[in-house]
Amino acid sequence: MAAPRDPARRALRADLLDFSADPGLGTPTLAAVRYRPDHWLLIDGGRIAGVLPGTQGPGDDWQREEHRGRLLLPGLIDTHVHSVQLDVIASYGSELLEWLERYTFPAETRHADAAHARAQADAFADALLAHGTTAAVVFPSVHAASVDALFGAARARGMRLVAGKVLMDRHAPEALRDDVARAQRDSEALIARWHGTDRLAYAVTPRFAATSTPDQLAMAGALLQRHPGLYMQTHVAENRAEVAWIAALFPQARSYLDVYHRHGLLNERAVLAHGIWLDDTDRRVLADTGAQIAHSPSSNLFLGSGLFDWQAMADVGAAVSLASDVGGGTSLSMLRTMADAYRVQALRGVRLSAFKALHTATLGAARALRLDHEIGSLEPGRSADVAVWDWAVGAVAASRDALARDLHERLFAWMMLGDERNLVTTLVAGGTQYKRRSDDSGALERVHGAAAAA
Ligand code: GUN
Ligand code: ZN
């Protein structure tokens, strides 16, 4: 990856969109949406400095970049994704537990090799940026080398990243198992090396309750006690067979979530993927502790895990963010993720507006991660982590876009029909980290035209 040199002061002209509040589930209203069509976003020294109307360009000491007619958003936030599962995407034919054994554990075993881990971590970080994602909460593997590789890749690109060594001391192949003492030693060393370095934060990462002994979960809880400010990430209540297994392994716990609660793992920096098979008591515990569910609709549909009850979470005020969960999910695109979230809610009879979905992938996630002072919006002072998107790519999307009667209709069509091909450029802390090679938005028509002319 070349490190492009950008001037300290740059101004991007586009349709700026971000949020000032949570639009809520239900009927779309403009109250929480800040839409500034044809404006300049001013970036100074890596931070957002302000906004000017398109017709009042900034002075000559700003580098001006025209993206008129395009959409400029805060960088998207993926709150649950596995950097070591790129090879696992689109693996056929199984539900969670068999999928882990058959595909996922073998792929993760290869990350014991530091050279492989580095190559994959670089590919992963570049792929996030090429999907407009500038911040993520990430599972590497059980190997310390995979954690170093991932943090190193994120640091080289200036990204905001939360990650930590996966803890697994049972019910996994031997090559992927640690033990309590070694896991503690490795975790302490990694925390010292990475937590608070640049834009990186450490997450204590028990994979899920099945793969950690009670002793290891207690060690994880003690790490959180010892180091205030650490994150915690894990999986919870994803699949019915998994839930039954956890109940058998932890007969004294009230529920799957309660296993984590008992071990002191739930707090306002806890990110738990899935949460499909929770009950109301669990949801109240999430709300009370400030922990969030990273809803992963692509993965839930692909692995046949179930339909997440977003409304029930909203009813008790528990936080929900959105996540690709690659490799259970089939795309790193947060547009695809939002579109899948819409479909999951449609099957539950709930309408997820484009405003709510996009808020969840930006300011909502930033707030749930306690990072809204830094990311998630275009407020002056925030890190200039932004992405510029084509409203539409291809003839069908372009004509649908032209027919949209209001902002919500337009944004909804963008979210349902768009993907990473709509992405023009991604900036992290004001520096260009991804740029589409060519403007290929008309490629289909051109090929078709050439064929017709021949
Ligand atoms: N539960 C435990 N490990 C995993 C994983 O890697 N992916 C998903 N989707 N669920 C899990
Ligand atoms: Zn996962």
Side-chain angles (χ1 to χ4, degrees):
M1 182 210 59
R5 293 196 178 274
D6 290 303
R9 304 184 105 194
R10 51 195 305 208
L12 278 65
R13 184 179 189 174
D15 300 332
L16 313 185
L17 196 154
D18 68 343
F19 296 89
S20 54
D22 185 345
L25 284 171
T27 314
T29 70
L30 282 166
V33 186
R34 196 158 44 175
Y35 183 52
R36 292 170 286 195
D38 191 18
H39 274 65
W40 293 95
L41 181 78
L42 307 182
I43 296 170
D44 194 355
R47 294 190 178 277
I48 292 166
V51 161
L52 287 175
T55 49
Q56 294 171 28
D60 290 341
D61 50 343
W62 295 80
Q63 174 178 295
R64 278 169 286 192
E65 297 159 45
E66 281 279 357
H67 290 289
R68 227 191 308 179
R70 287 175 168 154
L71 177 64
L72 187 153
L73 301 172
L76 302 175
I77 303 169
D78 185 344
T79 59
H80 178 76
V81 57
H82 299 254
S83 57
V84 292
Q85 292 182 11
L86 292 180
D87 294 352
V88 174
I89 281 190
S91 293
Y92 172 76
S94 44
E95 287 202 3
L96 174 66
L97 299 175
E98 189 193 321
W99 175 85
L100 285 172
E101 293 220 355
R102 200 185 326 168
Y103 301 113
T104 309
F105 288 159
E108 295 192 11
T109 302
R110 298 197 284 275
H111 288 257
D113 172 17
H116 179 73
R118 274 197 302 275
Q120 292 265 302
D122 283 332
F124 173 77
D126 283 340
L128 285 185
L129 295 165
H131 287 76
T133 298
T134 54
V137 183
V138 187
F139 270 59
S141 70
V142 74
H143 313 100
S146 81
V147 189
D148 285 328
L150 175 63
F151 276 132
R155 187 185 195 190
R157 293 158 181 80
M159 297 171 75
R160 167 42 90 172
L161 195 103
V162 177
K165 177 201 130 51
V166 172
L167 305 172
M168 246 196 308
D169 67 346
R170 64 168 169 173
H171 298 138
E174 192 173 350
L176 284 181
R177 281 202 307 266
D178 52 21
D179 58 51
V180 175
R182 170 135 190 242
Q184 177 169 348
R185 233 179 16 250
D186 282 357
S187 299
E188 291 280 9
L190 289 162
I191 291 164
R193 191 140 70 239
W194 295 111
H195 186 61
T197 299
D198 295 343
R199 303 183 69 193
L200 311 173
Y202 195 85
V204 174
T205 307
R207 182 180 205 115
F208 69 142
T211 46
S212 285
T213 58
D215 282 351
Q216 190 173 58
L217 293 176
M219 184 276 288
L223 279 176
L224 290 173
Q225 282 287 323
R226 219 167 19 254
H227 301 277
L230 291 188
Y231 287 81
M232 195 290 295
Q233 60 176 341
T234 190
H235 298 87
V236 72
E238 173 177 4
N239 166 289
R240 275 183 280 202
E242 172 212 18
V243 173
W245 190 22
I246 303 303
L249 289 172
F250 294 91
Q252 64 287 29
R254 195 202 68 81
S255 67
Y256 190 160
L257 185 77
D258 186 48
V259 174
Y260 299 133
H261 197 26
R262 285 163 172 256
H263 289 94
L265 295 172
L266 301 183
N267 62 32
E268 59 177 29
R269 286 190 171 74
V271 183
L272 300 101
H274 309 298
I276 296 167
W277 306 102
L278 300 173
D279 63 17
D280 285 341
T281 305
D282 291 329
R283 292 186 194 98
R284 274 193 296 277
V285 168
L286 290 170
D288 290 346
T289 55
Q292 67 182 284
I293 292 294
H295 171 38
S296 309
S298 167
S299 169
N300 298 163
L301 293 169
F302 181 72
L303 293 173
S305 302
L307 304 175
F308 175 67
D309 192 344
W310 197 327
Q311 185 69 60
M313 291 285 288
D315 288 346
V316 297
V320 176
S321 53
L322 275 168
S324 68
D325 190 30
V326 160
T330 50
S331 171
L332 286 171
S333 166
M334 292 305 290
L335 277 75
R336 291 274 178 104
T337 302
M338 291 186 272
D340 281 339
Y342 177 82
R343 295 182 176 100
V344 167
Q345 293 314 306
L347 284 166
R348 299 195 64 96
V350 171
R351 298 290 165 231
L352 177 67
S353 72
F355 293 157
K356 175 66 175 176
L358 187 56
H359 170 269
T360 306
T362 54
L363 184 61
R367 283 192 173 155
L369 293 169
R370 321 289 150 174
L371 290 172
D372 48 309
H373 57 284
E374 177 190 324
I375 57 174
S377 75
L378 304 177
E379 280 288 323
R382 304 293 184 270
S383 181
D385 299 355
V386 303
V388 179
W389 303 84
D390 278 326
W391 277 104
V393 169
V396 172
S399 73
R400 182 67 190 85
D401 180 58
L403 287 172
R405 287 158 304 182
D406 60 29
L407 177 63
H408 185 265
E409 200 175 318
R410 199 172 184 204
L411 197 67
F412 184 70
W414 170 82
M415 159 183 133
M416 295 307 297
L417 302 177
D419 58 28
E420 65 274 21
R421 287 167 288 194
N422 292 56
L423 182 63
V424 179
T425 187
T426 306
L427 276 61
V428 177
T432 306
Q433 288 291 342
Y434 169 79
K435 205 167 184 180
R436 193 165 65 196
R437 235 173 257 139
S438 62
D439 188 349
D440 57 2
S441 56
L444 266 181
E445 292 88 325
R446 278 201 298 279
V447 170
H448 186 69

